[in-house]
Amino acid sequence: MRRGLELAALGPAVGDHARVGAVILSPEGDVLAEGWHKGAGTPHAEVDAMAKVDPEHLRGATAVVTLEPCNHTGRTGPCAVALLEAGVARVVYAIDDPGADVHGGADRLRAAGLEVVSGVLASEAEAFLERWLLSVRLGRPWVTVKWASSLDGRAAAADGTSKWITGAAARQHVHEQRAAHDAILVGTGTVLADDPSLTARGDAGELLADQPLAVVLGDRAVPADAAVRRHPRGLVTLPGHDLATSLGALRGHGVHSVFVEGGPTVASALIAAGLADEYLVYVAPVLLGGPRVALGDLGVGSMPARRRLDVLSTTALGPDLLVRARPQHPGPPEHPQHLDDGATLDHHDDGSTNDRSTT
């Protein structure tokens, strides 16, 4: 199973699929083949592995898979049926598939007389697939909220300028994180104020191989000549002010993870609504003072209501510090907040942001 997780990591980290690995064992316990899911529309891991074995050697074999074999017909056929037809005698997997349409493969295999064992290295598999599992279970993408700030928590100077708060290493890390998510989200104010490209780029400004889907949140129209309309992955606009509904709509676009760079208003609204799953905070060793804080109102009126975080890691990026953290007890507040489109957001291509309020 641990080898299966290693194989799963070979699959693409972004896209509308789970990363799954599989190992086929002979009745004597020898490895016959290995496989992994290489992306949406390609054979699933167990089918990929079985295709490398002569059919006569599959009879009586054991399939070790990191996720429960699927039980539905989508872009590919049900893996449970493929295992039955191949004559596999035993299936071992780590965690149940939470998808309502695909769950049930294990029951189907048991009903056909196969030995089925579940829960092997379940905690490791849960951690490996955490983004995808959350998106399927909650019906909305995993949300990473990012901001860059000075040591005193400012996202811009008093005059609104924010280039460059952080150094080159931190800015490049932001681009890598964009590429590691299915989508990048900003507000309409960001687009109108800064005309960002919302692409993931390398050190020389070249486009990286993996590009996030560009998502713009808000009611105002994106100009016809906006740079984001030339995004290589395309553009999705989400009107309205219900953040949970907007995030849920992204699941229809195959988005399992979203990188939020929408400025203090969008970031604060998501956090206040209990919709932030992870924080990436890039802190520069500078002091700015003034009113341009990195976050706005979070609905915290007193110390007992403060939002506690677990810091997972701190990483030096040149002169800057990256703090990676997660909520201790994520969840919506008693009175969920909505994004007020009366506030617009500035977004700069270094990944830093500042807030502008319209009148």
Side-chain angles (χ1 to χ4, degrees), residues 1 63 65 67-71 79-81 83-85 88-97 102-120:
M1 187 64 74
V65 194
L67 184 67
E68 177 188 12
C70 69
N71 191 38
C79 293
V81 172
L83 290 163
L84 290 173
E85 292 178 344
V88 169
R90 185 169 180 255
V91 174
V92 180
Y93 69 92
I95 53 177
D96 293 334
D97 193 315
V102 300
H103 179 69
D107 292 338
R108 186 170 190 168
L109 293 169
R110 290 190 183 97
L114 272 69
E115 180 185 357
V116 179
V117 179
S118 64
V120 177

Side-chain angles (χ1 to χ4, degrees), residues 181-184 211-215 231 233-236 250 253 255:
H181 288 74
D182 292 315
I184 178 172
Q211 289 293 322
L213 180 69
V215 180
H231 195 283
R233 278 286 307 280
L235 169 67
V236 172
L250 289 178
H253 295 277
V255 173

Side-chain angles (χ1 to χ4, degrees), residues 60-79:
T62 293
V64 180
V65 194
T66 57
L67 184 67
E68 177 188 12
C70 69
N71 191 38
H72 85 304
T73 299
R75 294 170 182 167
T76 60
C79 293

Side-chain angles (χ1 to χ4, degrees), residues 154-180:
R154 267 58 182 178
D159 64 357
T161 57
S162 61
K163 290 188 177 180
W164 306 91
I165 289 180
T166 56
R171 297 195 300 271
Q172 187 53 47
H173 191 272
V174 169
H175 282 283
E176 293 167 2
Q177 290 303 306
R178 291 180 180 183

Side-chain angles (χ1 to χ4, degrees), residues 50-59:
M50 289 192 297
K52 303 169 185 175
V53 182
D54 290 335
E56 62 269 22
H57 293 152
L58 287 173
R59 306 202 69 81

Side-chain angles (χ1 to χ4, degrees), residues 9 37 47 49 57 114 123 166 168 181 221 257 269 314 329 347:
H37 192 200
V47 174
H57 293 152
L114 272 69
S123 59
T166 56
H181 288 74
S257 61
T314 57
H329 302 290
H347 177 286

